[in-house]
């Protein structure tokens, strides 16, 4: 089974990225032949700083190894190291509808109110479809916010297959049962995000222990006093319960009953402690890995070789089926 997922090189990674996606990369690397891509080409679709992109890309590679990706069991690479991704995006734009791209909520949200909206922000999902389809992917582990993009990738694959002949596997998104959409701690009706959320409500994987505890202590909760999981009615408390469930490995009903007679204050303290404990060892490994840039670059080089080799036959097939004269 082929597994593929991509992750942006911009911003610092937060607990939503970890719970919604990164921890499932770690799980799926043992369930199939897994490819994980740092999507640096996607990162230039919004305002960004070149030096920042450069540094964040290496930071993220170190972080992904630190959370548990194993270069022996999966392939981690940079999108820009494999030219097939940019090529596939152009070729697949022929079977992507302008109208469908315009309906993407991420495009609308990230473009809203901006003086300059790049053409790349609009065509972003085509590049993503290419990422996935080039690897004949079966499953794509992602958070809930990517549902619409996965649907588009499936539509693109189906349209290509029916117009040019069977070429692509139709991929399927897999979303975590708990924590597919972690909310901002200050505004629990909005998704946690480094690009759109509040700083105080966004817990970073690399935040210091006292910062993590403080962010949870000051989390916005709901009216009432009982610790009960009810996302519609109690978004703040339910979000904390989901985070605690993942961080401590305790099912949600067991958490609810363990707070009988105790209040939100205890819950906030416990979530903070559990997250500090979860991230502590990852932070230590991150510091070690990030310090050896030569080794990081070597691992990414090996990953890119494997990715190039794996995607090449599908890229060639795309060109041939579309009628190009090959060299
Ligand atoms: P951000 O909103 O912080 O800018 P992003 O969604 O734009 O993040 P990535 O960092 O590439 O971009 O996301 C990596 C993975 O994390 C994706 O699979 C995405 O679905 C998931 N993810 C992002 N935010 C959350 C969240 N709040 N809860 C659960 N999963 C999330
Ligand atoms: N759009 C995704 C990142 C991404 C991706 C992919 C995810 C780019 N290419 C391929 C899965 C598969 C995001 O913003 N999180």
């Amino acid at each position: 089974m082929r597994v593929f997922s991509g992750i942006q090189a911009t911003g610092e990674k937060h607990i939503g990225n970890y719970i919604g996606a990164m921890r499932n990369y770690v799980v799926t690397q043992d369930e199939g032949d897994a490819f994980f891509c740092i999507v640096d080409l996607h990162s230039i679709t919004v305002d960004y700083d070149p030096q920042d992109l450069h540094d964040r890309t290496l930071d993220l590679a170190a972080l992904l190894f630190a959370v548990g990706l194993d270069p022996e069991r999966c392939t981690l690479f940079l999108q820009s190291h494999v030219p097939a991704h940019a090529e596939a995006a152009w070729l697949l734009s022929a079977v992507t509808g302008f109208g469908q791209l315009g309906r993407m909520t991420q495009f609308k949200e990230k473009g809203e109110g901006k003086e300059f909206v790049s053409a790349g922000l609009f065509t972003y999902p085509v590049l993503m479809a290419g990422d996935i389809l080039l690897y004949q992917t079966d499953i794509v582990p992602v958070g809930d916010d990517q549902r619409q993009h996965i649907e588009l990738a499936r539509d693109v694959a189906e349209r290509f297959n029916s117009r040019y002949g069977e070429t692509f596997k139709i991929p399927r998104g897999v979303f975590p049962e708990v924590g597919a959409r972690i909310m901002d701690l200050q505004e629990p009706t909005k998704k946690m995000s480094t690009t759109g959320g509040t700083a105080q409500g966004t817990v970073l994987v690399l935040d210091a222990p006292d910062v993590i505890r403080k962010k949870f202590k000051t989390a916005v909760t709901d009216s009432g006093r009982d610790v009960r999981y009810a996302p519609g009615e109690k978004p703040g408390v339910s979000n904390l319960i989901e985070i605690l469930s993942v961080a401590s490995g305790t099912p949600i009903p067991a958490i609810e009953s363990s707070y009988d007679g105790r209040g939100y204050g205890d819950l906030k303290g416990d979530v903070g402690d559990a997250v500090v404990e979860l991230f502590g060892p990852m932070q230590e490994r991150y510091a070690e890995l990030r310090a050896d840039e030569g080794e990081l670059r070597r691992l990414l080089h090996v990953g890119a070789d494997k990715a190039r080799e794996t995607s090449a036959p599908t890229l060639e097939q795309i060109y041939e089926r579309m009628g190009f004269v090959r060299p």
Side-chain angles (χ1 to χ4, degrees), residues 4-8 13 17 21 25 35 37-39 42 79 85 106 110 124-125 127-133 137 139-143 145-146 149-150 191:
F4 185 98
S5 198
I7 181 163
Q8 294 250 22
K13 293 299 131 179
N17 299 132
Y25 302 168
F35 286 76
C37 180
I38 296 179
V39 294
H42 276 105
Q79 193 182 30
H85 291 250
Q106 182 177 292
K110 292 204 172 168
Y124 176 113
L127 179 60
M128 175 164 163
D131 295 340
I132 299 168
L133 301 177
T137 300
I139 64 161
V140 188
V142 277
D145 60 316
Q146 295 303 310
H149 288 158
I150 302 281
K191 155 183 128 84

Side-chain angles (χ1 to χ4, degrees), residues 56-79:
R56 297 279 184 230
T57 300
L58 293 166
D59 292 350
L60 181 56
L63 185 64
L64 288 167
F65 287 129
V67 304
L69 290 193
D70 176 355
E72 301 289 321
R73 288 184 286 158
C74 72
T75 303
L76 178 69
F77 69 102
L78 306 185
Q79 193 182 30

Side-chain angles (χ1 to χ4, degrees), residues 83-85 87-88 91 134 311-320 326:
H85 291 250
E87 293 175 72
L91 296 166
L134 274 173
S311 56
T314 298
L315 183 70
E316 186 54 33
Q317 247 182 11
I318 301 175
Y319 275 118
E320 285 173 7
R326 301 304 290 155

Side-chain angles (χ1 to χ4, degrees), residues 101-102 104-112 117-118 121-122:
L101 286 177
M104 293 292 118
T105 50
Q106 182 177 292
F107 170 67
K108 291 192 244 177
E109 280 168 14
K110 292 204 172 168
E112 199 182 351
V117 177
S118 74
L121 189 65
F122 184 69

Side-chain angles (χ1 to χ4, degrees), residues 95-261:
V95 285
T96 309
F98 181 85
Q100 189 173 13
L101 286 177
R103 287 191 295 276
M104 293 292 118
T105 50
Q106 182 177 292
F107 170 67
K108 291 192 244 177
E109 280 168 14
K110 292 204 172 168
E112 199 182 351
K114 294 272 165 23
E115 198 182 312
F116 176 79
V117 177
S118 74
L121 189 65
F122 184 69
T123 54
Y124 176 113
V126 192
L127 179 60
M128 175 164 163
D131 295 340
I132 299 168
L133 301 177
L134 274 173
Y135 295 83
Q136 302 293 349
T137 300
D138 296 288
I139 64 161
V140 188
V142 277
D144 192 60
D145 60 316
Q146 295 303 310
R147 278 181 197 275
Q148 212 185 10
H149 288 158
I150 302 281
E151 209 44 51
L152 182 135
R154 292 164 57 92
D155 289 348
V156 165
E158 278 166 3
R159 195 169 297 115
F160 191 100
N161 285 350
S162 72
R163 188 170 300 175
Y164 300 105
E166 277 310 301
T167 305
F168 298 121
K169 269 232 176 101
I170 309 299
R172 185 167 60 82
V174 295
F175 308 89
E177 260 169 52
V178 177
R181 192 175 190 83
I182 296 297
M183 305 310 235
D184 189 293
L185 301 186
Q186 292 297 316
E187 293 179 27
T189 51
K190 279 201 193 148
K191 155 183 128 84
M192 188 182 286
S193 161
T194 30
T195 46
T198 69
Q200 183 65 18
T202 303
V203 176
L204 303 179
V205 180
L206 295 176
D207 270 342
D210 55 324
V211 174
I212 295 179
R213 288 199 179 90
K214 181 124 189 257
K215 285 180 177 172
F216 281 109
K217 275 282 177 211
T218 55
V220 168
T221 37
D222 316 284
S223 56
R225 302 191 57 238
D226 50 327
V227 174
R228 185 163 49 82
Y229 184 72
E233 184 194 333
K234 289 171 161 279
V237 170
S238 302
N239 191 40
L240 294 177
I241 294 176
E242 286 197 31
I243 296 173
L244 181 57
S245 171
V246 172
S248 66
T250 316
I252 290 175
I255 293 179
E256 287 176 316
S257 50
S258 73
Y259 283 91
D260 263 356

